[in-house]
Each structure stands twice: as structure tokens, then as C-alpha cells.
Amino acid sequence: MFGSIWGYFYTSFLRYWLKWFIRQVTGKCELQRICAGYKPGAPRTTKAEYSLKNSKSKLLRAAVNVEEDGLEKYLDLIMREKNVKTQRDPTFKVNLKLCLLQITGYRNLFTSVEELRKETFDSDKVQHEEMLLKLWDLLMPEVKLESRVTKQWGDIGFQGDDPKTDFRGMGMLGLTNLVFFSEKYTEEARQVLSHANHPKLGYSYAIVGINLTEMAYSLLKSGALKPHFYNTVSGRPQLQHLHQLFCYLVYKFDKFWVEEEPESIMEFNHYREKFHDNIKIQLLDPAVALTMTISPKSN
């Protein structure tokens, strides 16, 4: 309770006067000090985002929602309001622009991800069917699929004869992630599948991939992935950057599962949560970067 009272007092009263005092001493506003005092990445962008969202200025608070085509004009308005002169601080505008691209880009990324998640797998759509068959060909190049609806799908970790039923929760986001990993990291994906088909330590590869898609989605939705994207993407994060994160999660989860040696697949939820907690701990590090150390295939 004391923490909540202190937080309210600080943000509502003390923070304003502290900012005013430091500006009188340094001659620079808070945003200038942030942009000049931190290197590009999560520490700078996170502090800039906090400063903008908690500003008493309506103009600054709205900056976190500005679209890219209006960004230059908005930056000029911010500089005018904060009385920042380019001659005295030539790097401010460039640095703040990068922060705003990352901040607004994260929001737009979630919108794109949500649209893909809500897109239902439709067997009548050629593109959807082609993606599903491509997943099989990438993972099982030497085995021909006998028919579209077949028990063979279980060989790559789907639950039933028709995989479309497994995509209900994550929609086309789940399938897109699986295909991306299999296409960009084909050898690694086949290696993970071989581990998943182990007689003792095996698990349902495709189902686990969809489950990890949900993990990535929930982390994105909660804002927990901001430090990762602020550190790894210089500008607006795109869908491909979330797909890359998924690759990291699948690859690392497989290693985690093999090292933990669970007694059976019945313990999946326990180890899934343990892995999830490990990822959330990593994301608390301001320098976090959940990236593959293996280079992806070029298109």
C-alpha cells in the first residue's frame, strides 16, 4: 500500500518539480537528457516512452500513438513545445524519432499479429492449403503425404487426421510460425522434430509449436517483449521479427525439454510454465536479446 501511495505522489507531484529543477540546472528537458544519456536500445526507448506517457503535455502523451507518415511534423511540434533548438542539440530529433518508431511500431505489430491470429485456417483457400502442405514437405522431404486427410499428420505432431482443427486457438499465426521456422532454419527444424519423435522424451511437435505461438502472443500483448524488440530492431518491428522470436522459443524449448528429461508428456504443462518463467526472467534484463545464433536461410 505504501508503494502505491508513493508511486502516486511521485508521478503526480514530485516528478514534475524534480524535472523542472534538473532542467534549470542542465538547460535540457527530460527527453533531451534521455536521448543524449543512453545508447540506442531498450533503456533509452523505455525511458522515453515512460516520459511521454506521463507528461503533463497532451501533445507529448499523444506522441506514442502517432503514425509514421506524420512523425516528422510531430517531432517538430515536440521540439517547439520543449524549446529544443537543432543548433544546440543536433542529435535530439534523430534519437527521439528512433524511439517513437520503436514505440509506435510495437503497437502496430500487435495489431498485425492479432489480425493473423484471428484469421481462421480455411481449407477452401488455396494459400492456406499450400502453406500446410509446404510445412509437410519441409519437415518430411522423403515421405510422400498419402492424402490431405491422413493419420500421417501425427508424424509431425498434429493431433488428428486433419491439422486444421489444431489451429483454432492461434489461427493462421500458428501455421505461419511453423512454416517460417521450417523454411528459415530447415535443418534445425528437422532436428527438433527428431527429438519430438523420440520414443521416451518425445512430444507433439506441431502442437507444442502452436502452444509456443500462444506464449509469444501473450508476451507481446502484455508488453513484456518491448525490451527485446527495442534492443534488436532499429526502427519499427515487423511480423517477421515475431516469427524470428518464435524460432528462438521453439529451438530453446527443445533443448530445455531434452535437458530436463521429463518422465512423460503428461508433465508438459509443468515444464512449459517453467520454460515460460525462464523467458520472463530474461526479459527483465534491459539488455535482453532473444535471438538465434544460427543465421537463417536467405530467400
Side-chain angles (χ1 to χ4, degrees), residues 131-169:
M131 284 186 67
L132 182 59
L133 295 175
K134 183 178 184 179
L135 177 64
W136 176 270
D137 290 338
L138 286 166
L139 293 173
M140 306 286 282
E142 298 179 0
V143 180
K144 184 178 179 181
L145 200 62
E146 296 173 355
S147 63
R148 167 61 181 79
V149 179
T150 171
K151 292 186 182 298
Q152 282 181 287
W153 289 112
D155 294 342
I156 61 172
F158 286 104
Q159 289 180 327
D161 296 351
D162 191 345
K164 71 177 184 180
T165 59
D166 293 325
F167 294 119
R168 290 173 182 168

Side-chain angles (χ1 to χ4, degrees), residues 82-136:
K82 304 305 292 183
N83 194 28
V84 178
K85 306 299 182 183
T86 303
Q87 296 87 346
R88 294 181 179 177
D89 195 343
T91 63
F92 173 74
K93 186 175 181 179
V94 174
N95 292 337
L96 183 59
K97 181 179 181 179
L98 175 57
C99 291
L100 288 175
L101 283 172
Q102 292 182 316
I103 293 166
T104 58
Y106 189 93
R107 185 195 70 242
N108 292 338
L109 172 61
F110 178 74
T111 299
S112 299
V113 168
E114 183 73 339
E115 289 176 358
L116 191 56
R117 185 188 71 86
K118 289 182 177 180
E119 184 178 349
T120 304
F121 181 92
D122 187 347
S123 297
D124 293 328
K125 290 186 177 180
V126 176
Q127 182 185 12
H128 291 190
E129 284 292 311
E130 287 179 344
M131 284 186 67
L132 182 59
L133 295 175
K134 183 178 184 179
L135 177 64
W136 176 270

Side-chain angles (χ1 to χ4, degrees), residues 286-298:
V288 65
L290 306 180
T291 55
M292 296 280 283
T293 57
I294 305 162
S295 298
K297 288 183 178 179
S298 57

Side-chain angles (χ1 to χ4, degrees), residues 28-47:
K28 293 183 178 182
C29 69
E30 184 177 48
L31 284 173
Q32 284 180 284
R33 298 194 300 273
I34 291 171
C35 288
Y38 296 88
K39 295 179 180 179
R44 176 197 282 176
T45 302
T46 301
K47 289 181 179 298

Side-chain angles (χ1 to χ4, degrees), residues 201 203 208 211-212 215 252-279:
L201 297 175
Y203 55 87
V208 169
N211 193 287
L212 292 173
M215 183 185 295
K252 289 296 184 180
F253 177 81
D254 177 67
K255 288 185 175 296
F256 169 80
W257 180 268
V258 171
E259 290 171 359
E260 291 288 326
E261 297 186 349
E263 289 295 324
S264 74
I265 190 61
M266 300 302 292
E267 296 184 70
F268 172 76
N269 287 337
H270 167 72
Y271 285 98
R272 191 262 192 197
E273 287 309 307
K274 187 175 180 181
F275 178 74
H276 191 192
D277 289 340
N278 290 344
I279 294 296

